[in-house]
Amino acid sequence: MTYETLLVETRGRVGLVTLNRPQALNALNRQLLDELKGVLARFEADAGIGAIVITGSEKAFAAGADIKEMQPYGFAEAVTEDLAAGWDAIAACRKPMIAAVSGFALGGGCELAMMCDFIIASETAKFGQPEITLGVIPGMGGTQRLTRAVGKAKAMDLVLTGRMMDAAEAERCGLVARVVAPEKLLDEALAAAEKIAGFSLPAVMMAKEAVGRAHETVLSEGMRAERRLFHALFATEDQKEGMAAFMEKRKPTFRNR
Ligand code: CAA
């Protein structure tokens, strides 16, 4: 199987997926989502795979949902297509997933990392939810998963200011499980995945499900609310301006402020 946006390999019982759109800092477009869904479904069905690692490049795990693709959306299209909802299939993967994050994990990139069961970060990692700077809000679970991971104060700080936090801060506030030197990132993540893949798969899957249950009790409600709000913002002039400004490499002038 060949992919245009991913590099996929197996290392023993570990499935390794490398996001590979270097020209766009691994921005998450429709094609990447479709390919990732396909790979995860394949790994889930493969008894020879016990754990999965998702990683990106040294510069970027992923710099967010693809702004170029979202820019033309209006509210009606966002709602009828249920924009961003396809990512729920990634979070629903039943085998353990580790995010190995180096460089930028912003917007949808941070959200994808949080869909994984835990994050191992390189010292160079930078996490953030900068959607507010584009005139929208996170739409792939950021307002819900980040708040559960780091608590209200830090989540509000990140979501409302759009600032980035470094790996040390991310570890301090509980977003990240381990921080390692950049050159050790992949080995550390693969070793953790290999260890998990050596245990009983049903036990691992139930452990994942049980911890997930504690974490997610009312997540579905939060996700529904977040998605409708995310879609609603595509009705605003500020979304048009925020995304146009990004594409044109200029500062946005928001009218509704
Ligand atoms: N979507 C589309 N293209 C993107 C992108 C994104 N999210 N992030 C970066 N790119 C592209 C840039 O447009 C640029 O392409 P060109 O060379 O063709 O101009 C290329 O990747 C390299 O990016 P930069 O030149 O900007 O690189 P930099 O090192 O100067 O800056 C950065 C890096 C700070 C990460 C900057 O690229 C950036 O701010 N990116 C956008 C981050 C962002 O806002 N993410 C949130 C997206 S919205 C979202 O994710 C919604 C949701 O929750 C569902």
Side-chain angles (χ1 to χ4, degrees), residues 4 28 32 53 87 152 160-162 173 177 188 202 240 247 254:
E4 283 178 25
L28 305 169
L32 189 149
V53 172
W87 289 92
K152 180 185 163 193
L160 293 179
T161 68
C173 68
E188 182 90 6
K240 305 281 171 273
M247 298 309 299
F254 293 126

Side-chain angles (χ1 to χ4, degrees), residues 68-91:
K68 197 173 189 174
E69 206 172 70
M70 283 186 298
Q71 188 188 11
Y73 271 79
F75 175 64
E77 296 80 20
V79 172
T80 52
E81 278 186 30
D82 213 359
L83 181 62
W87 289 92
D88 294 349
I90 305 300

Side-chain angles (χ1 to χ4, degrees), residues 14 51 53 98 118 120 178 187-197:
V14 177
V53 172
I98 300 174
F118 61 96
I120 300 182
R178 312 178 194 177
D187 285 349
E188 182 90 6
L190 287 170
E194 193 59 51
K195 176 156 197 176
I196 294 166

